[in-house]
């Protein structure tokens, strides 16, 4: 019953297999066994993979792995390398059978619930000792880890942890399993997690290195640029509200308080146990290639990185600090310092649920990426974000006509943030020709709020077009990385900070150029965080074009936001409605900025500091529109923005706010 409910929740009409005399078809099913892989005797995914490897050396047509409907529960990620690739110009296609809904899941179904505490309505099921997860999905929606909101003013921070004096908090001293507890701090553009070591004598002692790492740099745990919510998370004693849950790995007891109307006898509960689902990538000498995935739902992961002593030291859009550093005095360096700059070249990227690196000619189409505990799709990220150990090197990768939704972090992250991403030591590392088009990307950032729908960092030639993006806590879409520090000649501002004591001051251009953000419909973003907007840029991007996008509702934040070091962007023919300042440039400390061509845009907010003739900018023919009197050109942009067709027979953009929630 649970499997059927999950498959129904992920229903998707898949395209039928195209007819070809030379096509070889293998058949897989969730309960498949053996090695025949025929329609009469379908096999498991692992056997289908082995069959592909036995057939693909001399392909004379495509090989199709046809997936019957149902839930394929993985015990380990599906790893695809050069050995799994198409040859002779043909493609290996992993695709849904006609009309079927295959679901590739890293979660296990949880059943056998019984009432454990009638007073609090806490229900319990056993999932087996030794299992941990940061997410739980109930009837397809993310449940809330047991937590309590606390007031920042009740705590005094030190290098040891957080001291409190309020008698109302004295119960914290008596919590069980204190080493499972975390503190979460929502700041301006970061959402940080720091684990607790112990609580005694009104002192919450925090684990290292997470605590000190979270307290130097910018927008820090104890000195955020904007003091958002502060939570204590993940104690059984915090279970006090419907929709909350707690897992004890020591006993395997999973506890949950049902929402109103939920019956634990027929509810669908999914506990993610895998940290990634699909890993596509080989080596630079032997990349994975010519693979297509179609009509498949990818779901059920939980990235456990933040549960370690490193916590999650959020920096920006899924990049984070880890390791042991030469920490400054605890009360210093909350607005940057030389010790913090030492970390910048060494940031990590959040590993995605679906990872693609050292690969070319890979397509995901007509699929769904939902209920994932991290970035949904990572393309050519740094090596530390790929289970293969080989990062970057992605070319000819396409994500199209798909839905990316209801997940813990961002949608698609293309490119890396470390040196080999922007100044590769091997030309084969360059990420190029990446397409993200005609997707619906929404209701993300449920656990990690400082994310965007699509981020392209150091990439040559991306086409991010005709996507619909909505219900995000932070910025809608983002191009570029590095704050201008890695551009030719470097930055005196960053020299003064001390960055170039720890990395080169480059004299050559980065790999970022020719990137396009065109025809997207981005609405209802910046719902929780600050210092962002509809479209956000960083650093130089020669040939970059931002055009024909429709931006609607940014909660008072910016339309187009040129942040530090941005240069060489063309912004034209966009419609920006119900935003704050429609175009802004952060010139503070951002030398070598400008050369913006900003022409022919329409906005409902005429405010901007991007002016014609300043810093090489060309700014003209931009129109402020009042009372909804959009000229015909603007109306054409509004009508055309968003997907040009998509899954489940959708033929145009949905001009409204989608379902879902941001916690």
């Amino acid at each position: 019953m649970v499997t059927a409910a999950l498959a129904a929740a992920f229903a998707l009409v898949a395209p039928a297999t195209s007819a070809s005399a030379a096509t070889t078809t293998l058949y897989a099913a969730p309960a498949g066994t053996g090695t025949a892989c025929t329609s009469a005797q379908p096999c498991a995914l692992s056997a289908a993979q082995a069959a592909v490897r036995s057939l693909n050396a001399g392909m004379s047509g495509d090989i199709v792995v046809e997936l019957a409907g149902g839930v394929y529960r993985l015990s380990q990620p599906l790893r695809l390398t050069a050995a799994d690739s198409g040859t002779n110009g043909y493609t290996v296609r992993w695709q849904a059978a006609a009309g079927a809904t295959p679901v590739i899941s890293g979660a296990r179904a949880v059943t056998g619930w019984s009432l454990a505490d009638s007073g609090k309505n806490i229900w319990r099921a056993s999932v087996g000792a030794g299992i941990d997860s940061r997410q739980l999905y109930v009837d397809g929606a993310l449940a809330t880890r047991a937590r309590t909101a606390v007031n920042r003013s009740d705590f005094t921070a030190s290098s040891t942890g957080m001291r409190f004096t309020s008698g109302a908090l004295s119960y914290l001293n008596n919590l069980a399993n204190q080493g499972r507890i975390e503190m979460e701090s929502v700041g301006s553009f970061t959402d940080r997690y720091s684990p607790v070591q112990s609580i005694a004598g009104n002192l919450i002692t925090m684990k290292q290195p997470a605590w000190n790492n979270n307290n130097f740099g910018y927008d820090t745990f104890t000195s955020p640029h904007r003091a958002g919510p502060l939570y204590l998370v993940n104690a059984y004693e915090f279970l006090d509200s419907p929709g909350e849950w707690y897992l004890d790995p020591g006993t395997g007891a999973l506890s949950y308080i049902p929402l109103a109307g939920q019956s634990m006898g027929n509810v669908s509960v999914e506990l993610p146990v895998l940290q990634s689902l699909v890993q596509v990538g080989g080596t630079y000498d032997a990349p994975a290639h010519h693979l297509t995935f179609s009509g498949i739902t990818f779901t059920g992961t939980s990235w456990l990185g933040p549960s370690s002593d490193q916590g999650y030291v959020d920096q920006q859009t899924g990049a984070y600090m880890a390791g042991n550093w030469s920490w400054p005095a605890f009360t210093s360096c909350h607005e940057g310092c030389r010790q913090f700059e030492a970390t910048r070249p060494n940031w990590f990227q959040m590993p995605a649920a679906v990872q693609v690196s050292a690969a070319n000619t890979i397509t995901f189409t007509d699929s769904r990426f939902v209920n994932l505990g991290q970035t949904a799709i990572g393309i050519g990220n740094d090596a530390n974000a790929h289970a293969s150990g080989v990062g970057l090197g992605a070319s000819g990768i396409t994500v199209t006509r798909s839905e990316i939704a209801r997940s813990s972090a961002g949608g698609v992250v293309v490119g890396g943030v470390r040196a080999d991403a922007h100044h590769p030591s091997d030309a084969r590392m360059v990420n190029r020709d990446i397409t993200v088009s005609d997707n619906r990307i929404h209701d993300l950032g449920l656990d990690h709020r400082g994310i965007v729908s699509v981020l392209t960092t150091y990439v040559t030639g991306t086409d991010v077009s005709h996507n619909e993006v909505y219900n995000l806590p932070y910025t809608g879409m983002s191009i570029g990385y590095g704050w201008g520090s890695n551009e030719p000649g470097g930055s005196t501002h960053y020299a003064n900070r001390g960055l170039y004591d720890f990395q080169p001051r480059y004299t050559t251009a980065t790999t970022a150029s020719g990137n396009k953000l065109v025809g997207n419909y981005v609405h209802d973003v910046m719902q929780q965080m600050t210092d962002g907007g509809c479209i956000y840029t960083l650093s130089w991007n020669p040939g970059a074009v931002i055009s024909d996008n429709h931006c609607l509702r940014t909660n008072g934040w910016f339309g187009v936001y040129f942040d530090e070091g941005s240069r060489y962007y063309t912004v034209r023919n966009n419609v920006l409605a119900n935003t704050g300042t429609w175009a802004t440039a952060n010139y503070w400390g951002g030398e070598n900025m400008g050369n913006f061509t900003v022409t022919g845009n329409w906005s409902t907010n005429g405010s901007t500091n991007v002016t014609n003739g300043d810093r090489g900018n060309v700014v003209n023919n931009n129109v402020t529109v009042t009372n909804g009197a959009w000229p015909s050109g603007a109306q054409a942009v509004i009508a055309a923005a968003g997907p040009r067709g998509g899954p489940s027979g959708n033929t145009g953009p949905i001009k409204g706010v989608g379902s879902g929630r941001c916690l």
Side-chain angles (χ1 to χ4, degrees), residues 109-473:
V110 181
T111 57
W113 293 91
S114 61
L115 184 62
D117 186 328
S118 58
K120 296 182 178 179
N121 197 29
I122 297 175
W123 290 69
R124 188 164 298 152
S126 177
V127 298
I131 292 174
D132 201 0
S133 182
R134 298 179 66 84
Q135 283 78 33
L136 183 75
Y137 295 94
V138 182
D139 285 339
L142 180 67
T144 302
R145 283 199 303 163
R147 70 184 185 186
T148 185
V150 293
N151 296 319
R152 293 176 185 271
S153 59
D154 286 336
F155 296 88
T156 301
S158 70
S159 59
T160 301
M162 304 278 277
R163 183 170 292 281
F164 56 91
T165 57
S166 170
L169 295 175
S170 61
Y171 76 97
L172 298 176
N173 295 305
N174 301 315
L175 296 177
N177 291 327
Q178 294 177 356
R180 296 277 296 160
I181 300 169
E182 299 170 7
M183 291 194 79
E184 180 191 6
S185 172
V186 181
S188 169
F189 56 88
T190 66
D191 186 356
R192 297 165 177 265
Y193 291 84
S194 203
V196 170
Q197 178 175 307
S198 62
I199 308 175
N202 289 3
L203 174 65
I204 303 176
T205 300
M206 307 299 289
K207 290 181 181 177
Q208 298 291 5
W211 181 241
N212 276 337
N213 280 346
N214 262 310
N215 282 292
F216 73 112
Y218 297 87
D219 200 35
T220 60
F221 201 106
T222 55
S223 298
H225 291 176
R226 186 281 307 253
L230 181 67
Y231 299 104
L232 280 166
V233 185
N234 205 35
Y236 178 81
E237 293 87 344
F238 298 156
L239 269 175
D240 57 9
S241 299
E244 288 190 335
W245 65 280
Y246 176 77
L247 174 62
D248 184 345
T251 64
L254 175 63
S255 302
Y256 175 71
I257 301 178
L259 296 170
Q262 284 182 338
S263 169
M264 298 311 293
N266 57 24
V267 75
S268 171
V269 180
E270 295 284 318
L271 179 69
V273 292
L274 291 189
Q275 297 198 63
S276 65
L277 281 178
V278 179
Q279 302 160 3
V280 179
T283 65
Y284 304 134
D285 290 327
H289 58 93
H290 291 86
L291 291 162
T292 292
F293 303 84
S294 179
I296 302 170
T297 292
F298 301 91
T299 188
T301 61
S302 184
W303 177 51
L304 299 180
S307 298
S308 73
D309 290 355
Q310 297 285 347
Y312 183 68
V313 188
D314 189 10
Q315 298 305 313
Q316 183 152 314
T317 51
Y320 64 97
M321 186 201 306
N324 289 284
W325 295 95
S326 177
W327 296 312
F330 186 81
T331 55
S332 66
C333 195
H334 289 277
E335 288 297 329
C337 65
R338 182 177 179 276
Q339 292 102 314
F340 176 74
E341 293 306 317
T343 77
R344 193 185 295 270
N346 301 285
W347 290 352
F348 291 76
Q349 287 183 289
M350 181 186 296
V354 175
Q355 304 171 8
V356 183
S357 65
N360 67 75
T361 323
I362 311 293
T363 296
F364 296 88
T365 183
D366 295 277
S367 293
R368 302 183 75 208
F369 304 82
V370 296
N371 293 6
L372 299 165
Q374 65 230 84
T375 301
I377 307 170
I379 300 172
N381 302 148
D382 293 324
N384 58 71
H386 290 278
S388 67
V390 181
L392 309 171
S395 65
I397 315 298
T398 297
V399 179
T400 188
R401 293 172 51 87
S402 296
E403 181 183 25
I404 304 170
R406 298 190 305 279
S407 293
S408 291
V412 184
V413 176
V414 185
V417 301
R418 292 195 178 186
D420 274 330
H422 52 77
H423 286 87
S425 57
D426 185 323
R428 296 173 297 179
M429 293 176 170
V430 176
N431 294 305
R432 63 174 71 251
D433 302 327
I434 312 298
T435 299
V436 181
S437 65
D438 299 295
N439 303 291
R440 286 185 169 83
I441 309 174
H442 61 94
D443 295 282
L444 300 176
L446 302 184
D447 289 315
H448 300 285
R449 295 163 179 80
I451 53 81
V452 301
S453 67
V454 182
L455 164 65
T456 59
T457 64
Y458 299 104
V459 192
T460 302
T462 57
D463 177 8
V464 180
S465 60
H466 288 280
N467 302 284
E468 182 181 12
V469 171
Y470 57 94
N471 285 2
L472 296 188

Side-chain angles (χ1 to χ4, degrees), residues 12-28:
L12 180 71
V13 177
T17 304
S18 59
S20 172
T23 298
T24 299
T25 303
L26 305 169
Y27 297 86

